[in-house]
């Protein structure tokens, strides 16, 4: 069966183009990181390469070095910024896996001993809470 092509109008492509808002915490020439609007825990951040691909399966391998360099930076920053005990890093490919937005991205979620994750794509967080959490991560990235 033919692979599904990349859709240039997916929501992360629109965020990357600045057509819809996001709480950005990091940007370089290849990668952007912003807050997940339906966080599975406080500080849930998405790390997104600028290069278009639907997910890991069709991505050019040159995407992964810059992408995972930022995943590590953000993972360290959320751990420090939220005083977390650990960090979950997740990535989904195609609907059967739970993928809902079809531009490659990596979830980075601070974790606390004994506290489970909220459901994937559960409730929307208040913009002011996302803004406060984004500022904590920016501060941790600066320090
Ligand atoms: P996935 O299921 O791995 O494709 O994850 C997509 C993620 O994007 C989910 O965790 C959603 O909560 C999140 N999401 C959807 N729309 C937005 C948006 N406009 N800004 C930030 N995060 C979003």
């Amino acid at each position: 069966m033919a692979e599904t092509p990349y859709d240039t109008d997916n929501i992360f492509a629109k965020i990357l183009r600045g057509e819809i808002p996001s709480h950005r915490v990091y940007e370089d020439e290849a990668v952007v990181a912003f807050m997940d609007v339906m966080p599975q825990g406080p500080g849930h951040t998405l790390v997104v390469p600028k290069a278009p691909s639907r997910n890991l399966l069709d991505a050019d391998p040159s995407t992964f070095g810059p992408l995972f360099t930022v995943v590590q930076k953000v993972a360290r920053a959320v751990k420090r910024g939220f005083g977390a005990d650990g960090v979950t890093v997740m990535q989904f490919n195609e609907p059967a896996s739970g993928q809902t937005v079809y531009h490659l991205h990596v979830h980075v979620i601070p974790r606390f001993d004994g506290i489970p994750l909220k459901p994937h794509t559960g409730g929307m967080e208040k913009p002011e809470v996302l803004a406060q959490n984004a500022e904590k991560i920016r501060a941790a990235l600066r320090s």
Side-chain angles (χ1 to χ4, degrees):
M1 202 166 79
E3 298 294 327
T4 310
Y6 178 79
D7 173 9
T8 55
D9 277 334
N10 75 77
I11 197 135
F12 292 171
K14 290 180 179 178
I15 287 175
L16 290 171
R17 292 195 295 266
E19 293 168 9
I20 62 170
S22 66
H23 296 273
R24 288 189 191 210
V25 297
Y26 178 90
E27 178 163 10
D28 65 24
E29 62 286 354
V31 180
V32 169
F34 51 84
M35 305 313 293
D36 194 306
V37 290
M38 290 175 263
Q40 290 185 254
H44 183 165
T45 305
L46 299 168
V47 183
V48 183
K50 291 182 179 177
S53 73
R54 185 172 158 86
N55 54 42
L56 173 141
L57 301 171
D58 63 331
D60 188 296
S62 65
T63 308
F64 300 131
L67 175 63
F68 276 86
T69 298
V70 179
V71 167
Q72 186 191 45
K73 276 188 213 297
V74 170
R76 287 174 170 169
V78 298
K79 186 167 184 296
R80 208 165 45 240
F82 288 83
D85 302 305
V87 182
T88 292
V89 172
M90 299 193 292
Q91 192 276 320
F92 303 104
N93 302 283
E94 300 300 329
S97 74
Q99 186 177 11
T100 59
V101 176
Y102 299 99
H103 180 112
L104 175 61
H105 56 278
V106 178
H107 299 258
V108 179
I109 311 175
R111 299 301 303 275
F112 302 89
D113 289 335
I115 300 184
L117 287 180
K118 292 188 201 158
H120 187 50
T121 62
M124 290 282 282
E125 185 52 276
K126 296 185 196 75
E128 59 270 28
V129 172
L130 294 175
Q132 277 168 10
N133 288 344
E135 194 41 50
K136 281 189 194 172
I137 298 169
R138 289 187 203 107
L141 282 166
R142 282 193 296 269
S143 65

